[in-house]
């Protein structure tokens, strides 16, 4: 194992690109992605995820040419064949039945198997269930003809990227590391420790590291499900949930979770990976799946509450004009993958409402390609209802009262706006 290895990053999305840039400040890094359009944009210094600035990206690309360290990006697998360390940062989604899809990881592993050499180390960062690396990915790598833990080695260091967060960036978050042998575990740990300012935590095994990652977001999902259930109860009791949480939050050990839609490629997905593995070994995970069911139902619940409020105020729903604010899966982030705002949109549309959708962060062409929806917003329109679904900072400056009819509903799902400016909150 080389002390100063050439590093290949496979997958240059929200996780892979920031990691590649961080490593490229000290190492020679080859970034690979099957999306040729993405590669061409990166070569021009453009990161559509907005995780890396143009200045920072161009700097490491230029260093590659002038100093021997830095970053080179390509959609040609041949570009990574002279690497000694391969880091896989591809998506791990679920299918329509909430079953894990490991195809991207298997495809990445298969590509690596074609260039794998004696002494190489393959590290996975993608979220998986415990055992996936050694039980599923290693056999794919062994198609190279090399033998695991004799000719090549593996590690697992789960990603902890928080899209849109400019404070907790990749080098400022403690990194869990692991390896397939004690020596490899130390090698992987030292490799990450060389770029992670916050430090590292070396897990005792790859399975422990895999499990640690998958429970992080499962825990958040369950906690959000709890406050979502509270919001349903307090709504029936005519109590403001935000005020309850503010009061309860004065206790030192109260966890500050808030109700809302739970989407994205982590919290809304990862619990299914753990649940699937639990089912495989004969255990039915009641709390994990209950939390998922409740959070998955919130889009229809939110839409239903808006419809009910409109009816109570004698606002005709069919043919009404409704403005939805926000479409990305979280605030101040352009990522629309697995956004649960789509559930609200679909439900409101089924009632015959005319919906305008405004999101200053979402890419209109991506929203159209993935969901068949056009982003549109007219400030001169009198809306029957406005529903704020994503807490983008730009929405603070919107004069909502100027956008609505005299008889209207303003629904603040995120608890972002002053209470006196809205008709009700989640």
């Amino acid at each position: 194992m080389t002390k100063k290895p050439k590093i290949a990053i496979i997958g240059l999305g929200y996780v892979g690109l920031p990691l590649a840039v961080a490593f490229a400040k000290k190492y020679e890094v080859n970034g690979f992605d099957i999306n040729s359009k993405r590669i061409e944009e990166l070569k021009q210094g453009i990161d559509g995820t907005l995780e890396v600035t143009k200045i920072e990206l161009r700097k490491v690309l230029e260093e590659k040419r002038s100093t021997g360290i830095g970053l080179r990006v390509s959609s040609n697998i041949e570009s990574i064949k002279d690497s000694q360390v391969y880091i896989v940062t591809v998506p791990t989604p679920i299918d329509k039945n909430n079953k894990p899809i490991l195809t991207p990881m298997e495809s990445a592993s298969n590509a690596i198997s074609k260039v794998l050499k004696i002494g190489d180390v393959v590290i996975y960062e993608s979220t998986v269930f415990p055992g996936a690396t050694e039980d599923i990915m290693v056999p794919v790598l062994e198609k190279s003809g090399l033998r695991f833990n004799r000719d090549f080695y593996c590690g697992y260091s789960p990603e902890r990227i928080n899209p849109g967060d400019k404070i907790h960036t990749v080098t400022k978050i403690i990194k869990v590391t692991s390896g397939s042998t004690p020596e490899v575990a130390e090698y992987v740990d030292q490799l990450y420790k060389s770029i992670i300012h916050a430090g590292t935590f070396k897990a005792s095994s790859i399975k422990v590291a895999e499990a640690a990652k998958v429970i992080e977001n499962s825990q958040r999902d369950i906690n959000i499900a709890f406050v979502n259930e509270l919001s349903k109860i307090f709504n029936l009791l005519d109590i403001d949930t935000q005020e309850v949480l503010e009061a309860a939050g004065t206790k030192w050990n109260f966890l500050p979770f808030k109700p809302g839609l739970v989407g994205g490629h982590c919290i809304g997905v990862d619990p299914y990976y753990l649940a699937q593995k639990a089912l495989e070994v004969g255990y039915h995970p009641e709390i994990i799946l209950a939390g998922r069911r409740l959070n998955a139902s919130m889009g229809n619940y939110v839409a239903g509450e808006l419809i009910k409020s409109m009816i109570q105020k004698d606002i005709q729903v069919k043919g009404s004009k409704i403005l939805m604010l926000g479409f990305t899966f979280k605030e101040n982030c352009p990522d629309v993958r697995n956004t649960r705002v789509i559930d609200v949109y679909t439900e409101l549309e089924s009632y015959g409402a005319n919906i305008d959708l405004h999101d200053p962060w979402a890419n209109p062409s991506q929203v159209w390609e993935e969901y068949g929806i056009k982003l549109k917003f007219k400030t001169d329109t009198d809306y029957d209802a406005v529903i704020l679904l994503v807490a983008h900072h730009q929405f603070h400056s919107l004069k909502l009262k100027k956008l609505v009819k005299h008889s209207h509903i303003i629904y603040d799902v995120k608890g972002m706006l002053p209470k006196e400016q809205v008709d009700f909150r989640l």
Side-chain angles (χ1 to χ4, degrees):
M1 291 172 284
T2 310
K3 290 185 177 180
K4 185 78 172 182
K6 291 182 181 179
I7 300 173
I9 308 290
I10 295 89
L12 297 175
Y14 281 87
V15 175
L17 184 63
L19 184 70
V21 169
F23 270 119
K25 294 174 182 178
K26 291 189 176 182
Y27 298 88
E28 185 174 347
V29 178
N30 293 309
F32 170 79
D33 198 291
I34 60 173
N35 187 337
S36 57
K37 181 181 177 182
R38 169 79 167 155
I39 293 297
E40 291 309 309
E41 289 177 348
L42 293 177
K43 287 180 178 179
Q44 297 172 37
I46 300 171
D47 172 25
T49 69
L50 304 182
E51 292 298 308
V52 177
T53 66
K54 181 176 288 189
I55 293 175
E56 191 175 19
L57 183 53
R58 282 183 169 175
K59 187 174 186 295
V60 294
L61 289 170
E62 290 169 359
E63 285 182 347
K64 177 70 176 178
R65 293 190 291 270
S66 61
T67 66
I69 64 171
L71 175 65
R72 179 184 292 118
V73 296
S74 175
S75 56
N76 184 347
I77 193 64
E78 290 294 308
S79 66
I80 66 172
K81 67 179 183 179
D82 61 343
S83 305
Q84 291 83 46
V85 172
Y86 299 88
I87 303 178
V88 178
T89 59
V90 297
T92 45
I94 53 176
D95 65 17
K96 64 180 181 179
N97 297 314
N98 299 322
K99 301 296 184 183
I101 299 176
L102 294 177
T103 307
M105 284 188 69
E106 292 174 315
S107 296
S109 300
N110 187 60
I112 293 170
S113 73
K114 300 181 187 305
V115 295
L116 199 61
K117 305 171 298 299
I118 291 178
D120 287 352
V121 178
V122 182
I123 304 169
Y124 293 90
E125 289 212 2
S126 306
T127 302
V128 291
F129 48 76
T133 298
E134 292 160 298
D135 298 341
I136 299 177
M137 301 308 148
V138 164
V140 178
L141 294 173
E142 286 186 324
K143 290 180 180 179
S144 62
L146 302 179
R147 185 175 298 179
F148 178 51
N149 277 344
R150 186 193 71 181
D151 303 321
F152 73 92
Y153 308 89
C154 283
Y156 185 79
S157 182
E159 59 89 5
R160 280 179 167 171
I161 291 293
N162 186 24
D165 190 338
K166 303 307 178 186
I167 297 175
H168 303 98
T169 53
V170 61
T171 61
K172 298 176 183 176
I173 305 172
I174 294 175
K175 201 83 162 67
V176 174
T177 66
S178 64
S180 55
T181 69
E183 295 77 18
V184 172
E186 179 64 18
Y187 177 79
V188 172
D189 190 64
Q190 291 300 321
L191 182 66
Y192 279 102
K193 191 172 289 184
S194 68
I195 65 163
I196 303 296
H197 307 316
T200 61
F201 179 92
K202 185 168 62 173
S204 60
S205 69
I206 286 177
K207 286 184 178 180
V208 167
E210 291 169 326
K213 170 57 183 176
V214 81
I215 71 166
E216 289 176 12
N217 288 319
S218 297
Q219 182 188 67
R220 286 181 57 78
D221 194 44
I222 291 167
N223 279 301
I224 297 171
F226 172 62
V227 293
N228 273 336
E229 187 163 66
L230 292 181
S231 72
K232 292 184 176 183
I233 295 170
F234 294 145
N235 181 51
L236 294 171
L237 298 175
D238 197 26
I239 301 173
D240 189 297
T241 304
Q242 301 294 335
E243 292 181 358
V244 174
L245 294 176
E246 183 179 358
T250 59
K251 189 180 181 185
W252 76 92
N253 60 352
F254 185 81
L255 300 178
F257 288 91
K258 293 185 177 182
L261 305 176
V262 183
H265 53 97
C266 292
I267 300 178
V269 172
D270 295 354
Y272 290 121
Y273 275 75
L274 183 55
Q276 175 66 25
K277 193 61 179 179
L279 291 169
E280 287 180 5
V281 295
Y283 180 80
H284 181 78
E286 296 184 27
I287 294 177
I288 293 172
L289 291 179
R292 267 290 71 231
R293 284 192 298 271
L294 197 146
N295 283 339
S297 74
M298 288 305 292
N300 286 348
Y301 173 78
V302 165
E305 288 299 292
L306 178 61
I307 295 298
K308 183 168 65 176
S309 297
M310 292 173 69
I311 293 172
Q312 290 172 345
K313 209 165 184 177
D314 292 323
I315 300 173
Q316 184 172 320
V317 176
K318 186 176 181 179
S320 63
K321 291 184 289 187
I322 299 176
L323 174 62
M324 292 178 56
L325 296 175
F327 191 74
T328 61
F329 89 89
K330 65 176 291 187
E331 66 276 3
N332 306 322
C333 167
D335 195 349
V336 299
R337 289 177 297 171
N338 194 35
T339 175
R340 294 339 305 163
V341 175
I342 188 63
D343 299 336
V344 182
Y345 183 97
T346 303
E347 185 69 4
L348 292 177
E349 193 177 47
S350 72
Y351 281 88
N354 298 308
I355 304 170
D356 283 0
L357 184 58
H358 175 48
D359 193 309
W361 285 82
N363 184 317
S365 61
Q366 187 178 7
V367 173
W368 173 252
E369 289 172 7
E370 293 192 28
Y371 299 96
I373 297 173
K374 289 184 178 180
L375 296 180
K376 57 181 179 177
F377 168 50
K378 297 178 181 179
T379 56
D380 60 350
T381 300
D382 289 331
Y383 291 101
D384 294 291
V386 175
I387 178 169
L388 191 153
L389 294 152
V390 186
H392 294 317
H393 68 83
Q394 290 94 335
F395 295 154
H396 279 292
S397 60
L398 279 179
K399 307 297 183 184
L400 297 184
K401 292 293 185 180
K402 293 184 178 181
L403 300 174
V404 294
K405 296 178 180 178
H406 176 71
S407 180
H408 64 267
I409 295 291
I410 297 178
Y411 184 6
D412 181 7
V413 172
K414 296 299 293 182
M416 171 185 181
L417 304 172
K419 185 179 179 181
E420 62 273 11
Q421 294 183 16
V422 302
D423 293 283
F424 65 104
R425 307 186 289 190
L426 180 60

